[in-house]
């Protein structure tokens, strides 16, 4: 996720900005930049790579000034290059800004601005700078307000102008912004982390608000330029906690990020009226898409369980035979691949060695090879001939959570994109899209039960073995829940399709061997209920994930976690979340290093 810093006060801005960028490093980034205003001249320096690269560069220059802005970029639009790094200028080099978010309608804006504007980057942000400048007639705040009324998407931004050395303009919609209140100085940042060194007094900007900030005052307005009164709050966090936004671990923060980043994944990638999806990164013509007669989803670990959900989507929506292959197996099994095969490599890091090797093998055999990855500019993103970024923001905990749900979101959209070329009607597409749009709110309903899930986790934390059971599209959910528990709590767990228990595993059941069953209301509910009754008869402790309103689940189990109802295809997006929270709390209660579990790495870059 990009990081933003702004400073106006009596100190030299540059050291404050560089130090602030270092406090935002935890957000993940691939380039950074600063801009400082000194006597009507804006000095801008940018660098790809770590903050140290940028710090080295600015050392070579004499950059003075007590007002400035800075940015760490987590690439979304445009590759990882210095030209794409923020801050970005408008046309005449007097306006400069930094931005966190996605401008969905940047193409339309660019067309409206016309060809008198030349751009030096591939970013939506630079277009925003030109747009604001096109509205500037001497009042910077008004120019920002007018420009933003034409923008669709999300932004957290800070704007600086050479003709206004005494003020910064900041605005927020969908990307957080915090203002730190000092003595004769103000700090603006994406979160409180960078300012805790200087002040714990903060003002949180809300969506749709614009603020004009000078050294001595801050005035806040809505987009209609009406004054808004804001209150100053006191932060209790220390630095370390601030990096985690107050959560005890990155994993918990990332579990709670899911509703927001899910919206980032689907935003601007579908057309509700047409009931269709459009992921431009696919980079295939309609004829090429129609020629595909087989899809192979290649991944490892959690990504492979997301792929197993994707299989259901591609087969049900697009009617294309779809296989899921663990990357480390794919490359050694003489896979049948040809020019009619579409291979997706699914990977949060985009650097998993087994997945990279498998994709190279598929490419060698002539398949279409595309990526579904989180890290922009990663090896898989670069080596595939197209694909989509999942926009989950940096996922820093080793245990993958928000990347998993966002991977599924992207595969749902791809399945719809192919399906609408083949057998899906607009009405069916609209039904899926409406259900997808409801997912963030339904995720929040589950997250609100976190304390209840924590209390349930307490009851299961001392068991040595656990079964996870699911059927159909919920079997991958059982696999993912089992992986979460074992990789962070070190409790042995296994996942089975519900129908498999009677073929052997049920022999293990006892009062010391609990079962976590996913029994939500889908087409296999009755079958799963019978499996659960078999389990119950063996006196195994039983926790169920059930659909809200299913009172019968209580009689069948020791504990129930209820989830909202949704389309069967989308159930994994909801049913997995209680299992993430459950595993997290069990691990914390057992005193595990939740974000950095033993023996594991965030990205397995070796075979
Ligand atoms: C998931 O919690 C694990 N950290 C691991 O299974 C991970 O999903 C796997 O290594 C794949 O990583 P990738 O998505 O970066 O390719």
């Amino acid at each position: 996720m990009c990081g933003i810093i702004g400073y106006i006060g009596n100190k030299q801005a540059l050291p404050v900005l560089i130090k602030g960028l270092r406090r935002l490093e935890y957000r993940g980034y691939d380039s950074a930049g600063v801009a400082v205003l000194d006597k009507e001249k804006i000095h801008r320096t940018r660098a790809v790579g770590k903050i140290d690269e940028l710090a080295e560069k600015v050392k070579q220059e004499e950059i003075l000034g007590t007002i400035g802005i800075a940015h760490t970029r987590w690439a979304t639009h445009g590759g990882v290059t210095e030209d794409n790094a923020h801050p970005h200028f408008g046309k005449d080099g007097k306006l400069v800004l930094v931005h966190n978010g996605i401008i969905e309608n940047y193409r339309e804006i660019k067309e409206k601005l016309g060809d008198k504007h030349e751009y030096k980057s591939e970013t939506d942000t630079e277009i925003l700078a030109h747009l604001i400048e096109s509205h500037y007639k001497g009042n910077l705040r008004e120019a920002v307000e007018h420009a933003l009324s034409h923008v669709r998407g999300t932004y957290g931004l800070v704007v600086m102008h050479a003709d206004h050395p005494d003020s910064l303009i900041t605005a927020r919609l969908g990307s957080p912004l915090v203002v730190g209140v000092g003595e004769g100085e103000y700090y603006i940042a994406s979160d409180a982390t960078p300012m805790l060194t200087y002040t714990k007094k903060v003002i949180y900007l809300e969506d749709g608000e614009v603020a004009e900030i000078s050294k001595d005052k801050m005035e806040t307005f809505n987009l209609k330029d009406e004054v808004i009164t804001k209150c100053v709050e006191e932060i209790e966090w220390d630095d370390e906690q601030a990096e985690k936004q107050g959560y005890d671990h990155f994993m918990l923060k990332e579990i709670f990020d899911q509703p927001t980043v899910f919206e980032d994944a689907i935003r601007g990638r579908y057309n509700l009226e047409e009931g269709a999806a459009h992921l431009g990164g696919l980079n295939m013509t309609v004829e090429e898409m129609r020629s595909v007669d087989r899809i192979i989803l290649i991944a490892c670990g959690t990504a492979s369980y997301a792929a197993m959900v994707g299989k259901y989507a591609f087969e049900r929506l697009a009617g294309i035979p779809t296989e899921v292959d663990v990357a480390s197996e794919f490359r050694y099994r003489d896979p049948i691949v040809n020019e009619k095969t579409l291979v997706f490599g699914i990977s949060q890091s985009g650097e998993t060695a087994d997945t990279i090797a498998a994709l190279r093998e598929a490419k060698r055999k002539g398949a279409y090879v595309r990526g579904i990855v989180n890290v922009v500019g990663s090896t898989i993103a670069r080596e595939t001939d197209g694909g989509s970024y999942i926009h989950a923001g940096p996922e820093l905990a080793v245990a993958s959570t928000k990347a998993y749900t966002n991977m599924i979101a992207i595969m749902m959209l791809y399945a719809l994109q192919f399906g609408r070329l083949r057998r899906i009607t607009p009405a069916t597409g609209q039904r899926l899209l409406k259900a997808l749009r409801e997912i963030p709110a339904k995720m929040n309903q589950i997250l609100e039960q976190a304390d209840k899930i924590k209390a349930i986790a307490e009851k299961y934390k001392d068991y040595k073995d656990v079964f996870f059971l699911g059927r159909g599209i919920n079997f991958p959910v059982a696999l993912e829940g089992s992986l979460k528990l074992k990789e962070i709590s070190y409790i042995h767990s296994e996942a089975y399709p519900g129908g498999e228990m009677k073929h052997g595993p049920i022999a293990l059941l006892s009062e010391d061997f609990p079962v976590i069953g996913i029994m939500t209301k889908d087409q296999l509910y009755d079958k799963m209920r019978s499996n659960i009754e078999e389990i119950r008869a063996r006196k195994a402790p039983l926790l169920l994930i059930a659909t809200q309103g299913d009172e019968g689940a209580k009689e069948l189990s020791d504990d129930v976690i209820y989830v909202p109802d949704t389309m069967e295809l989308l159930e994994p997006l909801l049913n997995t979340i209680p299992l993430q929270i459950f595993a997290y709390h069990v691990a914390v209660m057992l005193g595990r290093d939740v974000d950095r579990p033993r023996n594991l790495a965030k990205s397995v870059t070796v075979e």
Side-chain angles (χ1 to χ4, degrees):
M1 207 83 79
C2 301
I4 281 178
I5 308 269
Y7 174 75
I8 184 164
N10 301 307
K11 298 188 187 81
Q12 281 305 310
L14 185 65
V16 173
L17 296 171
I18 295 293
K19 186 174 179 187
L21 290 181
R22 290 189 190 286
R23 301 297 308 134
L24 291 177
E25 285 195 281
Y26 77 91
R27 296 169 69 90
Y29 67 102
D30 35 53
S31 57
V34 292
V36 176
L37 174 57
D38 177 23
K39 301 188 194 62
E40 292 169 21
K41 174 145 177 44
I42 293 177
H43 294 267
R44 179 183 68 174
T45 307
R46 300 175 293 175
V48 169
K50 293 300 174 198
I51 305 295
D52 289 344
E53 317 279 332
L54 178 67
E56 211 38 57
K57 273 184 134 178
V58 294
K59 260 193 214 149
Q60 322 300 328
E61 306 161 57
E62 179 73 14
I63 300 177
L64 300 173
T66 61
I67 173 174
I69 58 179
H71 185 271
T72 49
R73 180 170 181 253
W74 170 268
T76 49
H77 285 96
V80 180
T81 64
E82 187 171 320
D83 280 346
N84 286 338
H86 302 207
H88 284 289
F89 278 115
K91 194 154 68 86
D92 66 10
K94 298 186 84 173
L95 180 146
V96 69
L97 64 76
V98 288
H99 164 237
N100 180 17
I102 295 174
I103 307 297
E104 281 168 37
N105 60 333
Y106 71 96
R107 291 186 190 87
E108 295 147 49
I109 293 170
K110 187 173 181 178
E111 272 161 43
K112 281 203 188 111
L113 286 170
D115 50 16
K116 291 197 298 298
H117 292 253
E118 278 176 37
Y119 302 97
K120 299 187 175 56
S121 80
E122 307 159 292
T123 65
D124 52 346
T125 301
E126 188 182 10
I127 292 164
L128 179 59
H130 283 240
L131 176 67
I132 294 172
E133 188 178 61
S134 69
H135 286 275
Y136 177 70
K137 296 177 179 49
N139 183 315
L140 187 57
R141 189 189 77 239
E142 284 177 6
V144 171
E145 288 166 351
H146 294 157
L148 292 180
S149 64
H150 297 279
V151 161
R152 241 190 11 259
T154 57
Y155 52 79
L157 60 93
V158 187
V159 186
M160 182 166 76
H161 196 292
D163 294 349
H164 298 265
D166 302 323
S167 72
L168 289 173
I169 307 295
T170 185
R172 172 197 161 146
L173 182 67
S175 290
L177 273 179
V178 185
V179 178
V181 185
E183 295 299 321
E185 57 186 11
Y186 280 85
Y187 304 83
I188 306 163
S190 307
D191 62 51
T193 318
M195 53 191 73
L196 286 178
T197 317
Y198 308 104
T199 178
K200 292 204 171 189
K201 289 187 173 61
V202 294
I203 296 171
Y204 291 97
L205 270 191
E206 301 300 334
D207 282 351
E209 293 181 351
V210 179
E212 181 158 5
I213 301 176
S214 66
K215 282 196 301 187
D216 306 307
K217 74 173 185 306
M218 170 178 170
E219 293 177 293
T220 308
F221 305 82
N222 60 23
L223 286 179
K224 294 196 225 62
D225 211 31
E226 294 156 347
V227 175
I228 295 173
T229 309
K230 302 292 289 180
C231 57
V232 179
E233 303 183 39
E234 189 85 18
I235 294 183
E236 283 85 48
W237 295 339
D238 58 28
D239 275 9
E240 157 89 353
Q241 278 175 314
E243 283 200 17
K244 299 178 183 105
Q245 299 296 292
Y247 291 102
D248 290 341
H249 298 95
F250 281 114
M251 181 179 175
L252 190 60
K253 173 185 173 298
E254 289 154 12
I255 289 171
F256 276 77
D257 277 350
Q258 288 177 109
T260 305
V261 300
F262 185 90
E263 286 177 334
D264 291 344
I266 64 176
R267 181 179 298 112
R269 290 170 152 172
Y270 63 88
N271 179 316
L272 187 58
E273 290 68 48
E274 293 168 11
H278 179 70
L279 293 103
L282 180 63
N283 190 23
M284 288 174 77
T285 64
V286 169
E287 291 66 36
E288 288 171 330
M289 291 172 71
R290 287 187 196 284
S291 74
V292 169
D293 65 5
R294 197 153 67 93
I295 292 174
I296 303 177
L297 307 175
I298 296 180
C300 300
T302 287
S304 71
Y305 303 146
M308 288 173 72
V309 175
K311 169 187 167 69
Y312 281 87
F314 280 110
E315 292 187 340
R316 197 167 299 176
L317 298 175
I320 302 175
T322 302
E323 295 165 47
V324 176
D325 240 310
V326 167
S328 53
E329 293 296 305
F330 174 83
R331 45 193 301 217
Y332 299 112
R333 67 167 180 81
D334 300 323
I336 311 301
V337 172
N338 58 37
E339 73 290 345
K340 290 184 176 178
T341 309
L342 169 58
V343 171
F344 279 107
I346 301 152
S347 172
Q348 188 288 130
S349 63
E351 300 299 344
T352 299
D354 286 323
T355 308
I356 293 168
L359 293 175
R360 287 174 180 163
E361 190 60 25
K363 203 167 189 176
R364 205 172 289 123
K365 293 181 184 293
Y368 294 106
V369 179
R370 299 294 182 271
I372 295 176
V373 301
N374 193 32
V375 179
V376 177
S378 56
T379 302
I380 291 175
R382 281 181 286 106
E383 292 198 0
T384 46
D385 303 316
S388 296
Y389 290 120
I390 67 172
H391 294 323
E395 187 178 71
L396 302 173
V398 164
S400 188
T401 49
K402 60 180 181 175
Y404 167 82
T405 37
N406 271 28
M407 286 167 183
I408 292 173
I410 297 301
M411 284 186 277
M412 288 294 156
L413 292 176
Y414 269 129
L416 178 59
Q417 187 165 344
F418 277 86
R420 289 283 283 109
L421 287 182
R422 296 158 180 255
R423 52 198 246 169
I424 297 292
T425 63
T428 303
Q430 284 167 354
R431 212 167 33 254
L432 174 73
L433 291 171
K434 283 182 182 143
L436 265 178
R437 285 153 51 111
E438 291 167 358
I439 289 295
K442 293 183 173 180
M443 286 177 162
N444 277 318
Q445 287 177 39
I446 299 168
L447 295 170
E448 284 158 13
Q449 298 182 62
D451 289 343
K452 175 178 178 252
I453 299 168
K454 178 179 178 180
I456 292 172
E458 174 85 37
K459 296 169 64 178
Y460 292 81
K461 68 177 176 31
D462 297 321
Y463 286 106
K464 301 300 172 230
D465 305 284
V466 181
F467 269 136
F468 284 77
L469 300 186
R471 291 190 71 133
I473 203 164
N474 283 302
F475 173 48
V477 177
L479 285 165
E480 173 57 11
S482 172
L483 176 61
K484 287 284 102 45
L485 184 68
K486 72 182 99 176
E487 74 173 323
I488 61 174
S489 74
Y490 316 148
I491 291 175
H492 165 248
S493 72
E494 297 180 55
Y496 275 94
E500 268 300 285
M501 286 301 283
K502 53 186 170 302
H503 298 288
I506 203 165
L508 285 176
L509 287 189
S510 73
E511 288 164 351
D512 302 324
F513 203 134
V515 172
I516 297 175
I518 300 140
M519 190 184 81
T520 41
K521 287 268 183 174
D522 56 29
Q523 60 177 321
L524 293 171
Y525 174 79
D526 293 336
K527 301 283 183 202
M528 188 62 189
R529 188 181 172 99
S530 312
N531 299 148
I532 294 299
E533 277 153 4
E534 292 157 15
I535 304 294
R536 205 64 188 142
R538 271 81 187 171
K539 307 222 182 314
L542 185 56
L543 162 59
L544 286 180
I545 308 296
T547 303
Q548 273 162 6
D550 181 4
E551 289 305 311
K554 286 180 183 150
E555 289 116 53
L556 264 182
S557 60
D558 299 292
D559 300 282
V560 184
I561 299 169
Y562 284 107
V563 296
D565 193 16
T566 185
M567 277 177 94
E568 181 174 307
L569 264 187
L570 305 186
E571 283 186 354
L573 292 166
L574 301 179
N575 297 352
T576 307
I577 293 182
L579 304 181
Q580 295 168 343
I581 300 170
F582 175 87
Y584 169 79
H585 284 299
V586 168
V588 169
M589 289 169 192
L590 295 177
R592 307 300 188 216
D593 183 352
V594 174
D595 284 335
R596 295 283 173 271
R598 69 187 183 195
N599 309 333
L600 295 177
K602 180 58 186 169
S603 174
V604 183
T605 55
V606 293
E607 290 188 23

